[in-house]
Amino acid sequence: MLKLKNIEKEQFDKFISEHKNKSHFLQSLSWGELCKVKKNLTPHYLGLVNEDNNIVAATLLLEKKLPLNLCYLYAPRGFVLDYKKKELVRIMTKKIVDFAKNKKAIFIKIDPDIIKTKFNYKNEEEKNPDFDEIFNTLKEVGFKHQGFTKNFETMQPRYTFRINLEKNLDEIEEHFSKTTKQRIAKSLKLDTEVTIGNQNDIKEFYHLMTLTENRKDFISYNEDYYETLYEIFNGNDTTKATLFLGKIHLNKTIKALEKTLKTTNNQISILPIDNLSKSAKAKLTELTKQKENLIKEIEKYKSYKKEYGQDLTLSAHMIIEYGDKAWVLYAGNHNILSETYVNYNTYFEHIKYCKNKGIKIYDQFGTIGDLSKNNPRLGLHEFKKKFGGDYVEFIGEWDYITNYPMYLIFTKLVPIYRNIIKNKSKKELKHEISKHK
C-alpha cells in the first residue's frame, strides 16, 4: 500500500536531486523555500512511500492562496517519478487530488520535464518514443492538457536549448556556429575576462538585469529577490547559484589594439613603395582599411574609459546547479560595447565550468516555438541556437480541475489581474533604472 505524506526536507531533497531522470531545480528544497519567502507561496514537500517507508515518487507542491479560503496547487516540472509506470502515475495523481481537495484547491497544475521532441544542431529530429503513451496516461488519470503553446504563455518555458556536456569539449565547441566561434575569439583578442562573482556583485548583476529588461520589454524581480535566491541556493548542499561576470579592462583592451596597430603598420612598411603588384595593392588596401578601423577602435575605447573608468562589467549571468544539471537562469547585459562580444565569452566560460564540474546537461532555460520572422523573441532564440545545443520541446502544462465553477472564474480573471501587475511592475522598473543612471 502506497501512502502520500509530508517528507522531511533533507530526505525529500535527496530523493529529488538523485532521481535518475526527473531531477530539476524547480522541484528542489531551495526553490520551495525561495517561493515561500519571495513569492508568497506555501511549499509542500510530499512523497509517495511504500510499506518500508521508501520514497517511490515525490513532488514539491506550491500552494497559492486565493480569496474565499480557496487555493490552487502547482508542481513545477513535477511530479518526480517514472511516467512510463502508468499505475504509479495513477496512484500519485489520486493521492495528490485527495490532498488538493482537503486544501480546497480549485485545480492542480503540472508541467513535467518530459520531452516531446528535440532537434540537434544539424536540425535532425528525434521524437520521444514514449511520448504518446505518457500523454494518454495523463489524460486517462484526469489531467487536461493546456495546449502546445509556442511562446512564454506558460508558467515555465515549453521550449529550451540543452547541451549534452558528456561529450568532449572539442565536440561541444565544434557545434557552435561559425559566428559564435569568431565572436568568442574576438572577445578574447580584446583581453576581456570572465570571473566568478560573490554576493557583493548582486548589485551589479541587478543593474545589468534592469538594463536588459528595459531593452527587451519584460519584467523580472527586484534586487532583494536575487539576493535572497543567492543566499538560499548557496545555503543548501544540493543546490548552487553562481554569478559569472564578463568584464572588459579598458587599459588592457587599448593596449591589445595598439599592439595590433603596430603590427599592421609594420606590415604596411615592408611593402614596396613603387611598382606594386596586383596582389600587393590588394594587400595594401586591406591593411590600410584595417589600420583606419583600429585607430577608430582605440579612440572609441579611450572615450569609454574616460566615461566609465578602467574596468567595466558588460555581462552578468546566474547559473543554477542541481543534481547532474545546470540552468542559465538569468542573464543581464549592458547597453554598450556589444561589439566586444563579452556575452559570448561569458557563455563559453560557464559551459566549460559546468563541464569541468561533471554536469551532464546544460540548459539555457527557455526559448520559443513560434519562429516566425515577426516574433519579437526570435533574436533570443537565434542567439541561444548558436551554441549548438539540442532544441527541446516539452509536453506542456496540464490542469487537474477539482472545482469547475471557480476554475472558470479564475482562468478568466487572472489574465486581467496579471496585466495590471505587469503595468505596475514596468513603472517600478523605470523608476529603478532612473536611480541607476
Side-chain angles (χ1 to χ4, degrees):
M1 177 70 71
L2 298 176
K3 178 181 178 182
L4 186 73
K5 59 185 284 190
N6 287 296
I7 301 297
E8 188 268 330
K9 290 179 180 179
E10 284 70 26
Q11 184 186 9
F12 171 89
D13 213 31
K14 185 176 188 299
F15 176 83
I16 301 294
S17 64
E18 294 177 359
H19 197 275
K20 183 178 179 180
N21 300 313
K22 292 290 169 274
S23 66
H24 200 289
F25 84 94
L26 291 172
Q27 277 286 306
S28 69
L29 172 64
S30 293
W31 187 254
E33 296 304 293
L34 177 69
C35 289
K36 179 181 178 180
V37 175
K38 302 305 297 181
K39 294 176 178 282
N40 198 29
L41 301 174
T42 303
H44 301 282
Y45 305 101
L46 303 175
L48 195 64
V49 300
N50 59 22
E51 293 87 345
D52 298 322
N53 208 36
N54 294 321
I55 304 173
V56 297
T59 188
L60 165 65
L61 269 187
L62 298 172
E63 178 184 348
K64 175 63 176 177
K65 302 290 186 184
L66 299 173
L68 305 177
N69 200 30
L70 300 173
C71 70
Y72 73 82
L73 300 170
Y74 172 45
R77 294 300 192 227
F79 312 130
V80 179
L81 48 73
D82 185 348
Y83 284 86
K84 290 184 287 184
K85 296 181 178 179
K86 186 173 180 178
E87 183 63 11
L88 182 60
V89 175
R90 185 190 68 78
I91 295 172
M92 182 67 165
T93 301
K94 182 181 183 306
K95 299 291 186 181
I96 293 293
V97 169
D98 290 342
F99 177 88
K101 288 178 178 177
N102 287 333
K103 289 285 181 182
K104 294 188 177 179
I106 63 176
F107 70 97
I108 306 154
K109 182 179 290 292
I110 64 173
D111 48 12
D113 184 6
I114 295 169
I115 294 173
K116 179 178 184 288
T117 188
K118 64 181 178 181
F119 295 84
N120 66 16
Y121 75 105
K122 294 181 179 179
N123 205 35
E124 296 168 335
E125 183 178 15
E126 180 184 336
K127 294 182 178 180
N128 179 356
D130 302 310
F131 178 80
D132 289 339
E133 181 182 352
I134 293 171
F135 190 92
N136 290 329
T137 295
L138 289 172
K139 284 177 64 177
E140 288 169 15
V141 300
F143 279 99
K144 309 281 185 191
H145 191 240
Q146 300 304 297
F148 295 113
T149 56
K150 295 292 186 180
N151 291 294
F152 291 113
E153 307 97 326
T154 48
M155 303 282 272
Q156 307 301 333
R158 207 174 76 79
Y159 293 83
T160 193
F161 282 100
R162 283 181 167 178
I163 297 175
N164 177 6
L165 296 185
E166 292 187 282
K167 298 176 181 177
N168 65 61
L169 188 60
D170 288 341
E171 185 178 358
I172 292 169
E173 190 175 354
E174 182 60 31
H175 294 172
F176 291 178
S177 71
K178 182 179 178 181
T179 56
T180 297
K181 295 173 189 174
Q182 291 171 341
R183 289 171 178 179
I184 292 170
K186 179 176 180 180
S187 187
L188 292 171
K189 194 173 181 180
L190 291 172
D191 252 334
T192 63
E193 180 186 22
V194 180
T195 63
I196 293 178
N198 55 42
Q199 194 158 359
N200 295 329
D201 297 301
I202 294 290
K203 186 174 289 295
E204 184 67 29
F205 165 78
Y206 175 66
H207 173 55
L208 295 181
M209 286 298 298
T210 61
L211 294 178
T212 302
E213 290 165 2
N214 186 53
R215 189 168 62 246
K216 297 187 176 180
D217 190 31
F218 71 92
I219 302 299
S220 190
Y221 304 100
N222 59 27
E223 185 176 342
D224 184 63
Y225 171 85
Y226 296 112
E227 287 270 7
T228 306
L229 185 155
Y230 191 87
E231 289 175 3
I232 289 176
F233 272 74
N234 290 317
N236 188 337
D237 291 339
T238 61
T239 53
K240 184 172 177 58
T242 306
L243 273 179
F244 287 82
L245 305 173
K247 301 179 179 182
I248 187 166
H249 304 289
L250 290 165
N251 273 345
K252 291 176 69 177
T253 299
I254 292 167
K255 285 180 180 179
L257 289 168
E258 288 175 337
K259 183 179 179 180
T260 304
L261 178 60
K262 183 178 179 181
T263 301
T264 303
N265 282 329
N266 288 337
Q267 289 176 314
I268 292 173
S269 68
I270 62 175
L271 289 172
I273 298 175
D274 301 317
N275 300 320
L276 288 175
S277 65
K278 186 176 180 180
S279 61
K281 285 180 180 179
K283 183 67 173 176
L284 179 60
T285 301
E286 179 189 342
L287 289 170
T288 302
K289 185 177 180 180
Q290 184 177 323
K291 176 180 177 178
E292 291 170 354
N293 289 335
L294 283 166
I295 291 171
K296 288 178 184 178
E297 288 281 288
I298 290 167
E299 290 305 312
K300 179 180 69 177
Y301 287 116
K302 283 181 177 178
S303 68
Y304 277 121
K305 178 186 172 184
K306 186 175 180 181
E307 183 175 356
Y308 293 100
Q310 180 178 327
D311 300 318
L312 185 60
T313 301
L314 297 177
S315 290
H317 301 175
M318 185 178 286
I319 311 300
I320 298 296
E321 300 168 49
Y322 187 64
D324 59 0
K325 304 180 184 73
W327 293 261
V328 188
L329 190 56
Y330 302 114
N333 298 293
H334 212 296
N335 293 332
I336 62 170
L337 292 174
S338 59
E339 68 273 19
T340 62
Y341 303 115
V342 173
N343 192 27
Y344 285 80
N345 191 22
T346 307
Y347 262 93
F348 189 36
E349 285 302 314
H350 49 68
I351 287 172
K352 290 188 288 185
Y353 167 90
C354 292
K355 168 72 177 171
N356 290 336
K357 288 199 71 176
I359 298 292
K360 295 180 180 178
I361 296 175
Y362 170 94
D363 192 316
Q364 290 176 275
F365 202 66
T367 186
I368 53 175
D370 170 18
L371 304 182
S372 56
K373 290 182 179 179
N374 61 347
N375 191 327
R377 305 297 188 202
L378 187 61
L380 170 73
H381 175 87
E382 292 299 321
F383 172 78
K384 293 183 176 183
K385 180 180 179 180
K386 289 176 181 177
F387 289 89
D390 293 328
Y391 178 40
V392 175
E393 178 186 4
F394 294 115
I395 194 170
E397 288 186 349
W398 298 76
D399 288 354
Y400 192 110
I401 305 167
T402 53
N403 185 329
Y404 275 91
M406 293 307 299
Y407 177 81
L408 291 174
I409 292 171
F410 178 81
T411 52
K412 289 185 181 297
L413 290 179
V414 162
I416 298 172
Y417 171 76
R418 283 178 177 166
N419 281 334
I420 293 171
I421 295 298
K422 182 179 179 181
N423 291 332
K424 181 182 177 183
S425 297
K426 281 184 178 180
K427 291 178 182 177
E428 292 174 350
L429 176 60
K430 288 179 180 178
H431 177 67
E432 287 287 339
I433 293 170
S434 66
K435 288 196 304 184
H436 285 83
K437 284 183 176 178

